[in-house]
Amino acid sequence: MDNLPYTALIKFPDIIPEHCDEHIVRRLTSMRGQFADQPAYEQLLSNEDMLLYEVYAFIQPEVDGELDSGISIIHPGKVGQEYFMTKGHFHSILDTAEVYYCMKGKGVMVMETPEGDWNVKDLNPGMLLYVPPRWAHRSVNTSDSEDFVIFYVYPAHAGHDYGTIETQGFRKLIVDQGSGPQIVDNPRWLAPEDRK
Ligand code: F6R
Ligand code: ZN
């Protein structure tokens, strides 16, 4: 029997776990086509393939009953007016939820259902967020200077479906038009009935 209880130290102020099963690193190149302002994206990329976010993952077998957890760190920055964010996804097994706990920084979770309902929740340190089954989710760092650090836990058999979001993004974008974070419509987004 090798599936034993374990602990991990996730200590302030850095909140980087002392060990994990996988350290996922996402740079600008892995977000091609995801930011609304394509020229701004190309301009940034011509300087450097910047680090946008990292995930320190604790991974269990992909079976019903197990839980995966970890820490996501979204670094501060913008592509044009749009804040740095995660790719975002539906769970492949749509009827699976996720819990987030904000440990540091500030940001929002952008969410939507396959039917096109949307929701955006602010997150500050100490806040818990429950993402119900069926809601796609994307974390966005709305600070200009600080990392946005969130702990997550979700069913290990959930899987990740990035396809729909990659095609047209979320219905809402989080942008700074000069007065801080604002929710605006994504011009690329199509209602489910208008998609081919
Ligand atoms: C797991 C989950 C988070 C994200 C992480 C990175 O289901 O929602 O652990 O995987 O915040 O975001 P993505 O996976 O969208 O690149
Ligand atoms: Zn998820």
Side-chain angles (χ1 to χ4, degrees):
M1 166 130 198
D2 55 4
N3 197 2
L4 294 171
Y6 65 83
T7 58
L9 189 60
I10 302 172
K11 217 165 76 174
F12 283 90
D14 294 335
I15 318 185
I16 293 174
E18 56 175 358
H19 68 83
C20 66
D21 297 312
E22 199 181 347
H23 178 211
I24 300 157
V25 171
R26 297 247 200 256
R27 296 181 177 276
L28 264 182
T29 39
S30 48
M31 295 289 280
R32 180 169 286 284
Q34 297 305 299
F35 289 97
D37 188 339
Q38 193 61 28
Y41 172 88
E42 296 298 347
Q43 174 65 41
L44 265 187
L45 190 57
S46 68
N47 282 342
E48 186 194 341
D49 189 9
M50 291 175 78
L51 179 59
L52 300 195
Y53 65 98
E54 301 171 68
V55 180
Y56 295 86
F58 300 105
I59 298 170
Q60 290 295 113
E62 289 179 24
V63 295
D64 194 359
E66 291 281 0
L67 297 171
D68 277 357
S69 62
I71 298 281
S72 297
I73 302 179
I74 301 99
H75 298 297
K78 281 178 217 145
V79 177
Q81 297 183 333
E82 204 173 1
Y83 292 97
F84 283 3
M85 60 192 185
T86 59
K87 275 171 173 276
H89 56 263
F90 287 94
H91 289 164
S92 309
I93 299 184
L94 206 53
D95 270 325
T96 51
E98 185 153 347
V99 166
Y100 282 90
Y101 179 74
C102 178
M103 301 185 75
K104 198 173 174 183
K106 64 169 184 166
V108 302
M109 192 70 73
V110 179
M111 294 164 280
E112 73 183 46
T113 66
E115 292 74 31
D117 300 313
W118 66 273
N119 202 299
V120 173
K121 291 284 183 239
D122 286 322
L123 287 173
N124 295 300
M127 289 181 72
L128 176 140
L129 167 70
Y130 180 66
V131 182
R134 309 187 83 256
W135 287 80
H137 38 283
R138 160 179 283 166
S139 321
V140 182
N141 184 346
T142 54
S143 163
D144 289 327
S145 54
E146 212 186 346
D147 284 344
F148 178 42
V149 183
I150 42 187
F151 173 83
Y152 64 83
V153 57
Y154 69 100
H157 70 300
H160 295 97
D161 163 20
Y162 291 99
T164 310
I165 302 301
E166 268 168 9
T167 309
Q168 58 173 24
F170 279 76
R171 183 168 185 172
K172 299 291 173 180
L173 308 177
I174 309 299
V175 298
D176 178 7
Q177 293 170 334
S179 56
Q182 260 191 292
I183 304 170
V184 298
D185 286 334
N186 169 9
R188 222 158 50 94
W189 190 87
L190 290 172
E193 59 273 20
D194 298 328
R195 292 173 203 163
K196 284 193 196 117

